[in-house]
């Protein structure tokens, strides 16, 4: 009852008009549920049957509205006389039908990976880290996380188990990240966000970078990106956001230019074609560099554009898929970080190689 009240009222229990949309309400509910259930994973260990049961029961409640999103699709029906006829039949929307089972399978797989770190399978002890150990311990930049105590060298059976967990976690991480990027790309860009962008891309990245993106090849742009000094995830998020913004600016100019094509004189066609080509190349290069940064730095926070898309999105199905893939990606990233710390402490970084 409380859950349905939140959905209907949009978390505005005064009954006023300030409530969130159902899409945003479900997105926030999934995010908050994951945070309350798992918190910060300080070590790798089984989460406990009660926690797993609570999570699966409540996530099932949150996904109930999503599973009611249906569309009419043509199917072939065989009649009693053996003939066939095409009829329209209600089915769960295709993206939900394909993605949701995969995400739930990834969720179960993450529980299985955590469950392996027990006395019977992967026996690794953990100790509390202290701020003073920050400089000396492997991965000391995250001193608040518990430190693994592992033998050197690793026994062969333990190394094999860790390699299998690393492979599984990487696979889940890739799937969740890919689905999250795909879902966000299908969300509409809010008009208010587009109107907030400057008219000229050079105001965002400068004239030299803007010119390079429009004139240079993809390889040259990749070489430029490789020379950039990247300090942390916040800087990466800012860079991704800048590339996304200039791609939107150039896409808007490209669409406006194409609309003027019918009125263009024959004498101006050459200049028209050149401008169109530059805008399209610049847009594609900006999108490509943003994708490279996102894949190379999955820990980077969401950009201003992505946050705006999620907040203004009204599609309940997309919101639920985005939130679930995001929290799964976060859990998989935390597990992988612990696996990496174990390999660092055991001088076995070769286990991280594909």
């Amino acid at each position: 009852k409380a859950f349905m009240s939140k959905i209907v009222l949009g978390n505005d229990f005064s009954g006023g008009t300030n409530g969130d949309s159902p899409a945003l309400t479900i997105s926030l509910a999934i995010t908050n549920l994951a945070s309350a259930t798992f918190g910060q994973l300080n070590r790798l260990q089984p989460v406990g049957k009660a926690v797993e049961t609570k999570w699966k029961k409540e996530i099932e409640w949150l996904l109930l509205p999503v599973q009611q999103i249906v569309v009419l699709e043509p199917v072939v029906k065989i009649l009693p006389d053996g003939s066939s006829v095409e009829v329209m039949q209600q089915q769960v929307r295709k993206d939900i039908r394909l993605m949701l089972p995969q995400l739930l399978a990834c969720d179960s797989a993450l529980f299985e990976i955590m469950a392996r770190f027990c006395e019977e399978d992967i026996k690794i002890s953990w100790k509390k880290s202290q701020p003073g150990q920050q400089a000396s311990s492997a991965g000391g930049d995250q001193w608040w996380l518990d430190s693994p105590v592992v033998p050197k060298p690793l026994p062969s059976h333990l190394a094999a188990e860790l390699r299998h967990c690393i492979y599984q976690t990487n696979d889940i991480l890739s799937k969740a990240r890919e689905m999250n990027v795909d879902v966000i790309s299908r969300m509409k860009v809010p008009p208010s966000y587009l109107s907030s962008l400057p008219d000229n891309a050079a105001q965002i990245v400068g004239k030299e970078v803007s010119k390079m993106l429009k004139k240079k090849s993809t390889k040259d742009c990749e070489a430029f990106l490789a020379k950039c000094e990247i300090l942390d995830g916040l800087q990466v998020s800012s860079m991704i956001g800048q590339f996304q913004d200039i791609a939107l600016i150039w896409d808007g100019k490209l669409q406006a230019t194409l609309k003027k094509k019918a009125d263009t004189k024959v004498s101006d066609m050459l200049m028209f074609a050149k401008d169109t080509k530059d805008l399209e190349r610049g847009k594609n290069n900006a999108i490509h560099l943003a994708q490279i940064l996102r894949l190379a730095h999955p820990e980077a926070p969401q950009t201003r554009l992505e946050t705006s898309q999620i907040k203004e999105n009204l599609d309940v199905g997309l919101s639920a898929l985005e939130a679930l893939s995001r929290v799964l990606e976060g859990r998989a990233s935390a597990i992988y970080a612990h696996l990496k710390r174990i390999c660092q402490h055991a001088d076995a970084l070769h286990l991280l190689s594909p």
Side-chain angles (χ1 to χ4, degrees), residues 6-21:
K6 287 182 179 180
I7 297 296
V8 174
L9 296 174
N11 290 319
D12 180 13
F13 292 101
S14 68
T17 58
N18 297 321
D20 300 324
S21 67

Side-chain angles (χ1 to χ4, degrees), residues 4-53:
M4 291 306 300
S5 299
K6 287 182 179 180
I7 297 296
V8 174
L9 296 174
N11 290 319
D12 180 13
F13 292 101
S14 68
T17 58
N18 297 321
D20 300 324
S21 67
L24 182 58
T25 303
I26 288 182
S27 176
L28 293 174
I30 292 175
T31 304
N32 293 337
L33 174 62
S35 179
T37 304
F38 303 107
Q40 187 177 40
L41 294 174
N42 288 327
R43 61 174 64 182
L44 291 180
Q45 62 183 6
V47 297
K49 198 65 179 177
V51 174
E52 182 177 351
T53 302

Side-chain angles (χ1 to χ4, degrees), residues 136-240:
S136 59
S137 63
D141 56 326
Q142 294 181 316
W143 57 265
W144 59 89
L145 299 177
D146 296 346
S147 297
V149 180
V150 292
K152 295 182 184 180
L154 282 175
S156 58
H157 71 280
L158 185 55
E161 291 283 356
L162 286 174
R163 184 184 289 277
H164 181 64
C165 289
I166 290 168
Y167 174 80
Q168 277 189 307
T169 306
N170 262 329
D171 185 50
I172 294 169
L173 190 56
S174 298
K175 286 181 180 178
R177 187 180 300 144
E178 183 180 339
M179 283 188 270
N180 186 264
V181 170
D182 176 68
V183 170
I184 292 179
S185 69
R186 289 189 283 121
M187 292 181 178
K188 294 180 180 178
V189 179
S192 58
Y193 187 88
L194 290 174
S195 62
S196 70
L197 296 175
D199 295 330
N200 196 333
Q203 294 177 249
I204 298 177
V205 293
K207 291 183 179 179
E208 291 186 7
V209 176
S210 176
K211 184 178 179 180
M212 177 203 67
L213 291 171
K214 292 171 72 174
K215 302 293 184 182
K216 299 291 185 178
S217 66
T218 302
K219 285 187 177 180
D220 290 333
C221 293
E222 289 176 354
F224 160 78
L225 187 62
K227 294 178 182 177
C228 294
E229 184 180 358
I230 297 176
L231 301 177
D232 53 32
L234 290 176
Q235 183 188 1
V236 173
S237 178
S238 176
M239 292 174 67
I240 294 173

Side-chain angles (χ1 to χ4, degrees), residues 69-117:
I69 300 175
V70 295
V71 293
L72 288 173
E73 292 186 358
V75 295
V76 176
K77 183 178 180 181
I78 306 299
L79 299 177
D81 61 0
S83 60
S84 61
V85 62
E86 190 176 81
V87 297
M88 300 301 288
Q89 180 176 309
Q90 281 191 347
Q91 293 198 35
V92 176
R93 202 172 71 191
K94 187 176 180 180
D95 59 339
I96 299 171
R97 192 168 70 236
L98 294 178
M99 286 187 176
L100 190 55
Q102 293 184 58
L103 290 172
L104 293 177
C106 289
D107 180 45
S108 298
L110 288 177
F111 278 112
E112 291 173 4
I113 292 172
M114 295 288 288
R116 297 178 72 86
F117 287 83

Side-chain angles (χ1 to χ4, degrees), residues 316-331:
V316 173
L318 290 180
S319 283
L321 292 174
E322 188 283 325
L324 184 56
S325 60
R326 173 163 38 85
V327 299
L328 289 177
E329 182 182 343
R331 282 168 58 198

